Amino acid sequence: MAKKIYLKKAALNSTLLVSSFFLSHSTFAAQLKYQDQGQLHKIAAAVSPKRLESDVQTLVDFGTRHTLSETQSNTRGIGAARRWIKAEFEAISKQCGGCLEVIEVKDTISGEKRIPDPVEVVNIIAIQRGVDEPNRMVMMSGDIDSRVSDVMDFTSDSPGANDNATGVAGVIEVARVLSNYKFNGSIVYAALSGEEQGLFGGKILANHAQQQGWQVHGVLNNDMIGNITGINGVTDNTTARIFSEGTRVIETKEQAHKRRFTGGEVDSASRNLARYIDTIADRYIPNLDTMLVYRLDRFARGGHHRPFNDMGYAAVRVMETNENYNHQHQDLRTEDGIVYGDTIDGVDFDYTAKLTSLNAVSLAAMAWAPAPPNGVEISGAVKPSTTLKWQRNTDTTTVGYRIYWRYTSEPQWQFSRYVGDVSEATLKNVVIDNYYFGVAAVNKDGIESPVVFPGDVGAFEHTIK
């Protein structure tokens, strides 16, 4: 313990050179004080468990929301569910004076193992445009569709209360809360279809984002945010998991070769998005500890953030910690005293509200904050100091930048320096070999962007061209 405290003190007392000017440690002591954001506390508190329960019940009452189910009925099937979600977004938009663009983003899928015949896969999307940077996007998503044991059974009752009516209800609730505010960047609220049949809704929306030239800086996919009692016998309403990929699947051989010698295996944009959400939880969501899981998704399983990862976007999965597999993808039945099926009595709505609040505050912080800086570079090999450079943001929101660093074995950023409105800074006597580094942009209220790790591995703008 003594050694760790000594090393931390040494790092904090290191001198920083900014644009050739010396700034004393006392100067930074004042600048580094975290600014608590009252508006974010209000947003967290505004999420309603009762509204979430009402919305989940409505979705359950459609009987089944299977991707191949009924589309003409007004009371049963995925078509009725989609129309209800769209009507909810439109009602929210009316309340905020038309602040939401409510659209359908869809495509016809056929010839697939789980969609052999042509089926229109329809996503219901609401966009709350930013005041200053309307093309810069952060997104929350949940899946409309449900299933039972046979993935092709589209007629049996499939309530899908936790998987994933909770995620969709969370998206709608966050739209209700955040539509009362104005943001610098845009927020996308996405109810996606076709997840159980092959992540088709996410693929359709990710392609749409690329075609529209959206600057997507974070996708928070919520898939099962309501169960607190796991198959392992654990009951816990104080934790949640955030899954994130380590390196981009689109990484080139040249980029992988460079990463081998400079690091970054645990510092993709998605991984630093997860760290950002984890920090938000610590500061603004009472009695919630988020677990950073260094894996794309649960072991050998998938979710709707993956299509965005496949396009190079920063995207994570937010979900409960303890799953109950008896309540996932199961026919409604009782066998040997065990109740199977995803029914509403298995959802804890106070817990769902807690995770929904986490999404709301994370989205609000990123939309108020400046964009993550582009072009972050680092140098300092065989030198006593480390220098970082980046492109200064051209928006009206950014007032400065903060450099972060941590020991390479640590999961979260440990040390930081606010360096002002510059494009280059040097940490004197902080040796590049011993730490990982990153840069975040800061607005006038002290709200920061996610941290950007240097190079292609950490860039938030790195997408398929």
Side-chain angles (χ1 to χ4, degrees), residues 64-330:
T64 178
R65 305 185 305 279
H66 193 284
T67 299
L68 310 183
S69 65
E70 171 68 48
T71 61
Q72 299 304 311
S73 170
N74 290 322
T75 58
R76 185 176 179 85
I78 194 167
R82 293 192 305 240
R83 289 188 291 275
W84 175 79
I85 294 165
K86 187 175 183 181
E88 288 298 299
F89 281 145
E90 290 171 342
I92 294 168
S93 184
K94 185 176 181 180
Q95 289 292 319
C96 63
C99 72
L100 301 181
E101 302 171 23
V102 182
I103 61 174
E104 295 181 353
V105 179
K106 55 191 177 182
D107 197 5
T108 299
I109 306 298
S110 64
E112 299 288 344
K113 182 178 181 180
R114 294 185 177 184
I115 307 182
D117 301 319
V119 170
E120 191 174 45
V121 176
V122 182
N123 300 317
I124 308 300
I125 310 298
I127 306 170
Q128 185 176 349
R129 291 285 180 179
V131 175
D132 298 320
E133 297 177 275
N135 205 48
R136 174 166 67 89
M137 310 286 190
V138 290
M139 184 184 305
M140 180 182 178
S141 65
D143 311 316
I144 304 172
D145 56 309
S146 62
R147 59 164 287 192
V148 289
S149 301
D150 179 358
V151 72
M152 300 303 291
D153 180 354
F154 58 86
T155 59
S156 296
D157 281 349
S158 178
N162 187 43
D163 184 15
N164 187 26
T166 56
V168 173
V171 171
I172 296 170
E173 179 67 3
V174 170
R176 288 193 187 104
V177 172
L178 296 189
S179 60
N180 293 301
Y181 299 84
K182 294 185 183 298
F183 299 95
N184 301 312
S186 296
I187 302 175
V188 178
Y189 310 100
L192 305 177
S193 298
E195 193 263 357
E196 302 290 4
Q197 305 309 112
L199 309 180
F200 290 106
K203 294 174 185 177
I204 292 167
L205 185 56
N207 282 319
H208 178 81
Q210 184 197 26
Q211 292 165 5
Q212 296 296 313
W214 290 356
Q215 298 172 9
V216 180
H217 288 158
V219 178
L220 282 60
N221 179 50
N222 287 254
D223 196 343
M224 294 185 289
I225 58 171
N227 182 70
I228 64 171
T229 300
I231 196 76
N232 55 2
V234 173
T235 298
D236 178 14
N237 66 355
T238 65
T239 63
R241 294 180 290 180
I242 308 171
F243 289 85
S244 61
E245 67 173 1
T247 57
R248 284 182 169 89
V249 68
I250 64 170
E251 183 181 61
T252 67
K253 290 183 178 180
E254 292 77 14
Q255 290 167 343
H257 178 77
K258 182 178 181 180
R259 176 173 53 77
R260 184 183 182 194
F261 295 96
T262 59
E265 293 82 0
V266 293
D267 276 278
S268 65
S270 294
R271 190 60 52 79
N272 277 312
L273 172 61
R275 291 189 178 102
Y276 188 90
I277 300 167
D278 179 55
T279 300
I280 289 291
D282 290 340
R283 289 173 173 165
Y284 294 102
I285 312 301
N287 202 28
L288 179 67
D289 182 35
T290 51
M291 178 192 304
L292 296 176
V293 184
Y294 285 9
R295 183 180 286 132
L296 172 64
D297 207 319
R298 297 145 310 151
F299 193 84
R301 302 176 73 184
H304 247 151
H305 58 299
R306 193 176 82 197
F308 293 93
N309 289 145
D310 291 343
M311 297 295 291
Y313 296 119
V316 300
R317 178 184 184 129
V318 179
M319 71 174 302
E320 64 207 25
T321 301
N322 298 289
E323 297 179 65
N324 190 329
Y325 309 125
N326 294 337
H327 298 166
Q328 296 176 17
H329 304 173
Q330 295 286 348

